[in-house]
Amino acid sequence: MAKILFVVTGADHWTLADGTKHPTGFWAEEAVTPYETLTAAGHEVVVATPGGVVPTVDHGSLAPEFNGGQEGADRVASALDAFEELRHPVALEDVDLDAYDAVFYPGGHGPMEDLAVNDASGRLLTAALASGKPLGVVCHGPAALLAATGPDGANVFAGYRLTGFTNTEETQAGLAEKAKWLLQDRLVAAGAEFQEGEPWAPFIITDRNLITGQNPASSAPLAAELVNRLG
């Protein structure tokens, strides 16, 4: 049995360009699907958040239109209720990477607010990348990669092939014009080799121990790849 650290945003809003606080948090499917996949394979999950705060789910992610209808929405809500570890997170600042076999970051717009500028998360990601342990990051979760810089100030993910929520998807979601910055733009500026698939379709990229997924639909194949790597 492996032990996997889920690093989840502690933010309940995303500050837009005009200063408006857009309600958000973590995206349900991106946390629930990997949790179910990993625990079904016999692995243990521990949740960490900045300051150990209980994370907020983006209520939009529980809507029927994002879950294939009411039945799917009910299933995700039920799975979220069963995800007991979300209600008892450890403080990200206290995490010892040596205690874990893999690290996973779900998305939602929350990471754009806090993990993108969180030093403790940046240090953890730097250590995880160097460790060779599987590191999975999905959708807006790659915003956290922006905080992972080396002593020279360069991003440690520069030169890595990866993906994340695209400018096209942010535009189609209606938030691109309201955002202070776009994830794809920032990852490219940080030196990452950003790749994108079809909007909203499952798409993952693997490069060494880094596994990234483009959008919520990519959480299932990403979780499967984590299980595969954990044996």
Side-chain angles (χ1 to χ4, degrees), residues 142-170:
L145 309 187
L146 300 172
T149 52
D152 60 356
N155 192 283
V156 300
F157 292 93
Y160 275 76
R161 292 182 302 107
L162 53 77
T163 190
F165 204 65
T166 64
N167 289 355
T168 299
E169 288 165 322
E170 202 73 84

Side-chain angles (χ1 to χ4, degrees), residues 35-223:
Y35 174 76
E36 291 185 325
T37 301
L38 288 159
T39 55
H43 302 308
E44 178 186 356
V45 167
V46 174
V47 172
T49 62
V53 301
V54 176
T56 299
V57 66
D58 186 319
H59 287 285
S61 69
L62 300 175
E65 58 264 36
F66 293 118
N67 292 287
Q70 189 60 53
E71 185 177 339
D74 291 344
R75 196 201 71 77
V76 168
S78 177
L80 200 59
D81 286 341
F83 193 162
E84 187 66 29
E85 293 86 347
L86 278 172
R87 291 184 282 280
H88 305 283
V90 300
L92 177 58
E93 297 79 5
D94 298 335
V95 164
D96 177 5
L97 180 63
D98 291 342
Y100 300 94
D101 301 292
V103 178
F104 172 68
Y105 279 67
H109 280 106
M112 302 277 281
E113 184 74 20
D114 62 352
L115 297 179
V117 293
N118 186 287
D119 290 339
S121 176
R123 289 192 297 272
L124 175 69
L125 284 164
T126 300
L129 191 66
S131 74
K133 295 176 180 180
L135 172 59
V137 196
V138 70
C139 201
H140 286 92
L145 309 187
L146 300 172
T149 52
D152 60 356
N155 192 283
V156 300
F157 292 93
Y160 275 76
R161 292 182 302 107
L162 53 77
T163 190
F165 204 65
T166 64
N167 289 355
T168 299
E169 288 165 322
E170 202 73 84
T171 299
Q172 292 178 359
L175 287 166
E177 291 185 357
K178 301 176 183 179
K180 287 182 180 179
W181 51 272
L182 297 177
L183 179 58
Q184 180 175 347
D185 291 346
R186 281 285 180 91
L187 289 169
V188 170
E193 294 185 21
F194 192 96
Q195 301 185 8
E196 60 182 298
E198 290 297 316
W200 313 107
F203 183 69
I204 67 168
I205 291 289
T206 61
D207 189 345
R208 288 155 277 187
N209 59 317
L210 178 66
I211 312 155
T212 50
Q214 180 173 310
N215 45 37
S218 305
S219 58
L222 191 154

